[in-house]
Amino acid sequence: MKKITDLKLDGKKVLIRCDFNVPIKNGKIVDDNRIKESLKTINYCLDKHCKIILLSHLGRIKEKADLEKNSLAIVAKRLSKLLNKEVIFVDQTRGEKLEKAVEALSEGEILLVQNTRYEDLDGKKESSNNKELGKYWASLGDVFINDAFGTIHRAHASNVGIASNIESAIGFLVEKELNALSCLNSPEKPFIVVLGGAKVKDKIGVIKNLITKADYILIGGGMAFTFLQSEGYDVGNSIVDHDSIDFCNEMISKYPNKIVLPVDINVTSEYSNETPNQIKDITEISSDEMGLDIGPKTVKIYKKYLKNAKTVVWNGPLGVYELSKYKKSTKQILKYLVDNHIKTILGGGDIVAAAKNYKDEIYHASTGGGATLEYLEGKKLPGLEVLK
Ligand code: AMP
């Protein structure tokens, strides 16, 4: 697989697939980390006097009403500010306007194409890797750099499609992500996996793949209740993934000393910051209560497990991170890992957002939650396979 540094880029028309899928609220970008992470590759191409054509998706496009709120115009502005340089924005994903703008590019100029998923409105052309679309985008450039780790686990026209047609390589961000994750192939031990988030179903592949490698898997978040119910506990109104109960049961029977479950829970009666909450032992949850975070005893126990860890990988928050009252355990464990300089890899939007203030201290915070999960499941990533 080629890296950006393996390509002769001087003066060429370079297509770069970036991941500009940033969170936007009330018309404002709330976190521009992904844009910042793309700068190294863009600046490298600027140094090589390339004509730069950037592609990215933003959100999902299912109907016409999704178009305007997912326009990349807002990203073009932010990118221009970060680079201190004009970014030409073309409000088209194909057509004469785009082709003329590409033709008019001078060396060292940057053009951003409209959201690649605008093509999904017409038969999901981007997301189903429509052959003709990939070929068309490839025709706009001389070489292709895939620097969008967030979509590397998908075969889309803007990554696999383009790469199937012209000389291609990975960019600096994808290289950084892969380097960090590769330490998990033979992790320094003790190796501990922390898993939270809503559903067991989404993490079955990760659990199956990591259970033999990991010394412990510490379970939190909504997932914990499916495990607890499978052990016969009454979890009240807590979220339970009924289809996964047998799987949880099997894992606990096979690996009773590896799967670690909470012993206390922060419960309330409604999914809200407003309703009163209390800490309860897992044997005491009543039928009208739901657990929205793990409790302080559990945090203490999990810290003990983590104390000697040499490698930690963490996916999914340990409580409902959207509600300020239930962020506590996630924040505490994160701080513990940072304070104790434990080599930690974070994957997944919520947990990476939670670690925003520790950017320099955390070993690696991935820009791609889904991609990291599939990597951890041991799956092949189509965006990379095509480059091999
Ligand atoms: P995931 O995308 O699977 O990592 O899940 C993240 C989601 O899990 C977040 O939206 C959290 O609100 C949710 N979550 C975490 N803990 C709980 C819980 N105890 N009950 C319900 N949802 C939870």
Side-chain angles (χ1 to χ4, degrees):
M1 186 168 60
K2 283 186 189 161
K3 295 177 186 169
I4 185 169
T5 44
D6 296 326
L7 299 182
K8 281 209 173 73
L9 292 176
D10 301 76
K12 285 194 178 160
K13 267 190 277 175
V14 183
L15 292 161
I16 311 176
R17 174 57 162 100
C18 298
D19 180 2
F20 292 148
N21 187 29
V22 287
I24 294 173
K25 251 190 204 154
N26 304 325
K28 286 201 174 121
I29 296 174
V30 278
D31 182 352
D32 62 0
N33 182 46
R34 283 178 163 164
I35 306 179
K36 285 183 175 150
E37 291 281 3
S38 72
L39 296 180
K40 189 169 175 190
T41 292
I42 297 172
N43 279 321
Y44 180 83
C45 294
L46 282 174
D47 286 347
K48 299 274 173 199
H49 311 288
C50 298
K51 299 170 180 178
I52 301 170
I53 303 145
L54 306 174
L55 296 131
S56 174
H57 78 284
L58 175 63
R60 291 218 169 104
I61 308 287
K62 289 188 180 145
E63 51 189 31
K64 273 200 168 156
D66 296 328
L67 291 175
E68 203 185 323
K69 61 176 188 262
N70 289 304
S71 166
L72 278 177
I74 188 171
V75 169
K77 269 195 199 152
R78 179 64 61 93
L79 179 63
S80 168
K81 216 173 187 182
L82 290 169
L83 288 166
N84 197 17
K85 188 174 174 56
E86 186 194 3
V87 173
I88 302 159
F89 176 64
V90 178
D91 181 22
Q92 266 193 351
T93 48
R94 66 169 102 195
E96 204 181 325
K97 197 163 122 193
L98 174 63
E99 289 152 27
K100 280 195 171 153
V102 168
E103 220 32 65
L105 273 182
S106 302
E107 290 184 1
E109 281 192 329
I110 304 174
L111 179 156
L112 174 63
V113 179
Q114 182 55 284
N115 183 355
T116 54
R117 287 200 182 154
Y118 272 38
E119 291 283 343
D120 280 351
L121 207 51
D122 177 20
K124 285 204 160 266
K125 288 202 166 73
E126 154 74 326
S127 298
S128 66
N129 187 15
N130 175 278
K131 291 243 154 49
E132 174 254 326
L133 181 59
K135 200 168 170 183
Y136 171 74
W137 279 333
S139 75
L140 299 175
D142 303 316
V143 288
F144 174 58
I145 310 285
N146 189 356
D147 210 22
F149 185 73
T151 49
I152 209 103
H153 59 310
R154 304 270 182 244
H156 288 171
S158 64
N159 57 4
V160 172
I162 300 177
S164 309
N165 286 284
I166 47 173
E167 187 183 19
S168 305
I170 55 168
F172 290 112
L173 174 59
V174 169
E175 191 181 344
K176 181 173 100 171
E177 297 266 7
L178 294 176
N179 281 343
L181 290 172
S182 69
C183 81
L184 299 175
N185 296 338
S186 46
E188 203 184 336
K189 293 202 152 211
F191 170 40
I192 298 186
V193 179
V194 182
L195 281 184
K199 291 181 186 158
V200 175
K201 198 175 72 187
D202 301 336
K203 317 269 158 97
I204 286 181
V206 177
I207 297 173
K208 277 187 178 165
N209 194 40
L210 293 184
I211 190 100
T212 48
K213 280 187 194 168
D215 294 280
Y216 300 104
I217 299 189
L218 312 181
I219 307 274
M223 279 180 66
F225 300 102
T226 309
F227 275 96
L228 289 170
Q229 182 153 318
S230 84
E231 285 285 272
Y233 291 100
D234 184 352
V235 298
N237 278 335
S238 307
I239 186 172
V240 171
D241 190 358
H242 294 280
D243 295 342
S244 304
I245 289 194
D246 288 347
F247 170 77
C248 293
N249 215 291
E250 189 193 327
M251 286 297 118
I252 294 174
S253 321
K254 265 193 181 165
Y255 306 99
N257 300 322
K258 282 199 178 189
I259 303 257
V260 186
L261 299 178
V263 295
D264 62 343
I265 298 290
N266 193 343
V267 297
T268 182
S269 56
E270 273 173 52
Y271 184 95
S272 148
N273 261 327
E274 269 50 75
T275 44
N277 62 301
Q278 57 178 318
I279 305 298
K280 281 199 165 178
D281 194 275
I282 48 164
T283 54
E284 293 169 345
I285 304 174
S286 33
S287 57
D288 58 347
E289 288 172 332
M290 60 178 77
L292 296 186
D293 196 5
I294 58 172
K297 267 194 224 158
T298 308
V299 169
K300 212 169 165 187
I301 294 170
Y302 284 8
K303 282 181 183 171
K304 273 196 185 145
Y305 278 97
L306 291 165
K307 192 168 178 226
N308 299 315
K310 288 277 181 297
T311 316
V312 171
V313 61
W314 182 353
N315 185 287
L318 301 176
V320 174
Y321 205 78
E322 296 87 331
L323 301 177
S324 55
K325 255 182 169 176
Y326 304 102
K327 285 176 191 243
K328 207 168 179 178
S329 72
T330 305
K331 281 190 155 181
Q332 287 173 338
I333 298 279
L334 202 50
K335 185 170 182 315
Y336 185 80
L337 292 167
V338 170
D339 288 348
N340 291 282
H341 312 289
I342 297 168
K343 185 174 186 176
T344 301
I345 293 172
L346 305 176
D350 295 295
I351 202 67
V352 171
K356 213 175 151 189
N357 295 337
Y358 299 126
K359 214 171 175 301
D360 297 330
E361 287 110 314
I362 287 283
Y363 176 72
H364 185 65
S366 176
T367 56
T372 314
L373 268 184
E374 295 210 7
Y375 184 97
L376 296 178
E377 286 174 34
K379 284 190 182 160
K380 292 214 151 90
L381 305 171
L384 291 183
E385 289 305 303
V386 68
L387 301 180
K388 284 182 182 165

